[in-house]
């Protein structure tokens, strides 16, 4: 291996162009990858050794230039050597020196950095040094190095230069090649060494060149301690009053004052109220407040200006929307400045009139009168301005039309509701349909029912009114109208059933619907409900007020009336021919519940549980109430439950009895002589507090009939002894102790 002779191509890299360098490096890498790809085609070559071309200068300068090394490979059987620089593997022994594709660069100083090129199992090396081209760089002013800190005044002119100091020899001016930066651009900026002072404060100016830097800390201050304006304010003026001239005076830190009126920068915080020119002349252009500020070398002063209008209000002869046809003549308008309740001035000719769209209409003065002239169909705003006051109105210019049409024949509304008018169109002379909604004038046939307010209709009370649209078109007056029905607002819609069963292929009538209004009134609106089906399998037939089931399925039917809706679930299914009800009759005591099961059997023999779908009605809800498939007893009595399903009536009889709580005997114990008799009364007490004499109905027994016998509550003593008599009724018993003595 040869590692002592290298040929180098030194590449000078100008400082301050890192972006360009990176771009060139990227292009170089791309070329190297291309070369690697090309080298793969010769992978079958047999390498017998590698060597680096000789190099004369073994120093690479930091951030300055690069050295391009060339690696040659000796190929078996070939008399010429092959350049393998781009496909070789390159490494450096020192991180301060890097190598890529044979190109060596440095980011810091280093000694004897070994660069290795490897290819085909062979390596070649070369030792390089990295050094800074300059030992330092320094900031200079007027050919002398500056101190690390400087105190300067706003307004001063600061120009720095940068000098690179080599290890030996004289310095080199690198001002233009160096990079200049500032730590605080709000205080000072720098460009090519020229410093621009912006405001008081501190900023550090730094110069960088080929890895070397120098800096100077600037403390910037104003030569003045304050600045004042000759008027303290507030300056109170009216719009268009004569301009005034302001003077600015600066107080020096060293003492004394200076007139800086023509040096300061004048500004207004609100140029729509007051403007100021570069000489301090203030003009009053609009109503409001504005601060006039004078700024110079870090100090400033201001005065507040208050501008008012000399009049209280501006009134126009046309205040509401004006509607003109293209065929109409020009329209005269006036403007009056109102100073107080008793005086006003005609300022029509003094005001500034404008049209927001000159294509639609123009406004101008003719023979001492202000006219608005329609020019084209459209909408524009006519505005008058006078000494800070403004007033405007909308002008609608509509084309010549031969007819009017409203897109609705009728509307429904509620009391106190307001709404926009329906769209109005007309046929223009061209035959085109044009929108005239904003051009027509509306009137009501009965303002007590429907009134016209602020371009909308308002429902006042229940009833009907006809609203008419009117439009003047040339010599003709065109009209069109629609009816508005004012209704009470609906609180709720109630259906007499939540669900229905529809036999496939058959029809059922609409359910009965009641409306509850917000005022509490109720009404049957069955014939006014608009129904829609949530499934194509259930057909809504408005002509017969029925629903028809087409295919076995489930569907939700929605009924709508005004602002309310009601929903009914429908099941389209086969007809049930037999219904089994469990229990067939209901016997309950008070405050007990029971569930009713209903099973339907179709013609095909299919059995379906229908309990949750049957809507039962009690004949006496004071005795028995029903909720879905569950009933609850309330008081004694009897009656029947009734339901209708698929047109068939189902019934279940019910009986409610009070529960017997206990039996009581009028004499719980007796003492009788043989042959004597006594009567005992048995009373039944029920859960509802009811009492019944059940003496004759009770079943009597005696433990010893040799002592005494009993029948129907009558006890007869037989012989000396003791016995217990027992009366039983409805599951309850009571005993009477009998003792027979001589």
């Amino acid at each position: 291996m040869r590692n002592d002779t290298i040929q180098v191509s030194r590449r000078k890299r100008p400082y301050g162009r890192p972006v360009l360098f990176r771009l060139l490096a990227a292009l170089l890498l791309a070329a190297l990858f291309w070369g690697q790809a090309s080298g793969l085609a010769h992978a079958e070559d047999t390498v017998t050794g590698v060597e680096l071309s000789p190099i004369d200068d073994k120093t690479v300068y930091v951030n300055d230039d690069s050295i391009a090394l060339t690696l040659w490979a000796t190929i078996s059987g070939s008399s010429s050597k092959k350049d393998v620089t781009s496909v070789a593997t390159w490494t450096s022994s020192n991180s301060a020196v890097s190598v890529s594709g044979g190109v060596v660069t440095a980011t810091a100083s280093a000694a004897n950095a070994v660069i290795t090129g490897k290819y085909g199992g062979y390596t070649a090396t070369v030792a390089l040094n990295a050094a800074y081209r300059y030992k330092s760089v320094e900031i200079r002013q007027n050919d002398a190095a500056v101190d690390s800190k400087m105190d300067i005044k706003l307004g001063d002119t600061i120009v720095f230069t940068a000098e690179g100091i080599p290890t030996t020899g004289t310095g080199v001016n690198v001002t233009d090649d160096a990079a200049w930066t500032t730590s605080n651009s709000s205080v000072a900026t720098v460009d090519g060494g020229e410093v621009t002072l912006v405001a008081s404060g501190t900023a550090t100016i730094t110069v960088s060149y080929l890895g070397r830097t120098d800096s100077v800390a600037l403390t910037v201050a104003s030569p003045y301690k304050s600045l004042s304006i000759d008027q303290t304010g507030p300056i109170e003026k009216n719009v268009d009053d004569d301009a005034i001239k302001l003077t600015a005076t600066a107080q020096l830190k060293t003492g004394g004052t200076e007139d800086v009126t023509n040096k300061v920068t004048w500004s207004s915080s609100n140029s729509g109220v007051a403007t100021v020119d570069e000489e301090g002349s203030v003009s009053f252009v609009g109503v409001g407040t504005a601060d006039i500020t004078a700024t110079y070398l870090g100090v400033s002063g201001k005065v507040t200006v208050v501008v008012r209008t000399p009049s209280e209000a501006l009134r126009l002869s046309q205040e509401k929307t004006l509607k003109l046809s293209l065929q109409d003549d020009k329209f005269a308008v006036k403007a009056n400045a109102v100073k107080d309740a008793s005086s006003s001035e005609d300022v029509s000719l003094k005001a500034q009139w404008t049209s927001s769209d000159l294509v639609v209409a123009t406004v101008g003065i003719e023979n001492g009168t202000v006219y608005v002239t329609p020019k084209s169909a459209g909408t524009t705003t006519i505005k008058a301005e006078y000494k800070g006051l403004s007033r405007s109105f909308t002008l609608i210019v509509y084309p010549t039309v031969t007819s009017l049409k409203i897109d609705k024949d009728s509307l429904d509304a509620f009391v106190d509701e307001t709404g926009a008018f329906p769209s109005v169109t007309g046929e223009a002379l061209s035959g085109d349909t044009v929108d005239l909604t904003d051009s027509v004038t509306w009137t009501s046939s009965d303002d007590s029912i429907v009134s016209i307010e602020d371009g909308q209709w308002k429902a006042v009370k229940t009833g009907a009114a006809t609203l008419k649209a009117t439009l003047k078109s040339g010599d003709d007056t065109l009209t069109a109208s629609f009816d508005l029905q004012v209704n009470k607002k609906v609180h709720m819609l109630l259906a007499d059933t939540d669900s229905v069963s529809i036999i496939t292929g058959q029809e059922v009538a609409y359910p009965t619907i009641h409306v509850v209004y917000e005022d509490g009134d109720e009404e049957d609106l069955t014939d006014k409900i608009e129904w829609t089906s949530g499934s194509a399998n259930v057909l809504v037939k408005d002509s017969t007020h029925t629903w028809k089931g087409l295919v076995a399925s489930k569907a939700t039917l929605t009924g709508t009336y005004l602002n309310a809706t009601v929903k009914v679930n429908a099941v389209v299914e086969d007809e049930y021919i037999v219904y089994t009800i469990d229990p067939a009759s209901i016997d309950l005591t008070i405050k007990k519940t029971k569930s009713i099961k209903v099973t339907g059997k179709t013609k095909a023999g299919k059995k379906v549980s229908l309990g949750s779908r049957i809507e039962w009605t009690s004949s006496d809800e004071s005795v028995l109430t029903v909720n879905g498939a569950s009933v609850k007893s309330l008081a004694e009595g009897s009656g029947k439950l009734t339901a209708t399903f698929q047109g068939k009536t189902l019934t279940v009889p019910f009986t409610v009895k009070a529960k017997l709580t206990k039996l009581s005997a009028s004499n719980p114990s007796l003492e009788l002589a043989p042959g004597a008799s006594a009567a005992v009364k048995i009373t039944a007490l029920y859960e509802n507090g009811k009492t019944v004499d059940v003496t004759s109905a009770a079943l009597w027994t005696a433990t010893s009939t040799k002592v005494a016998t009993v029948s129907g509550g009558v006890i007869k003593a037989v012989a000396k002894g003791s016995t217990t008599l027992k009366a039983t009724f409805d599951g309850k018993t009571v005993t009477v102790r009998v003792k027979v003595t001589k």
Side-chain angles (χ1 to χ4, degrees), residues 460-495:
V460 180
K461 67 179 183 180
T462 57
T466 299
L467 302 186
K468 182 168 66 174
T470 304
L471 183 74
K472 186 175 179 297
S473 182
D475 296 331
D476 297 327
T477 299
L478 307 176
T479 62
S481 62
F482 72 97
D483 296 324
L484 184 62
Q485 179 70 44
V486 182
N487 306 280
K488 291 189 292 185
K489 187 169 287 187
V490 176
H491 174 68
M492 182 184 296
L493 294 178
L494 298 175

Side-chain angles (χ1 to χ4, degrees), residues 145-201:
V146 301
D147 294 333
S148 60
K149 296 182 179 179
M150 291 180 65
D151 293 325
I152 54 178
K153 294 183 177 60
L154 285 169
D156 290 349
T157 300
I158 307 295
V159 178
F160 293 137
T161 59
E163 188 167 299
I165 310 301
T167 304
T168 58
T170 60
V172 179
N173 188 326
V174 295
T175 303
D176 294 336
D177 292 331
W180 296 86
T181 58
T182 178
S183 66
N184 191 345
S185 60
S186 64
V187 173
T189 61
V190 61
D191 182 15
E194 184 175 344
V195 178
T196 300
L197 303 178
V198 179
S200 298

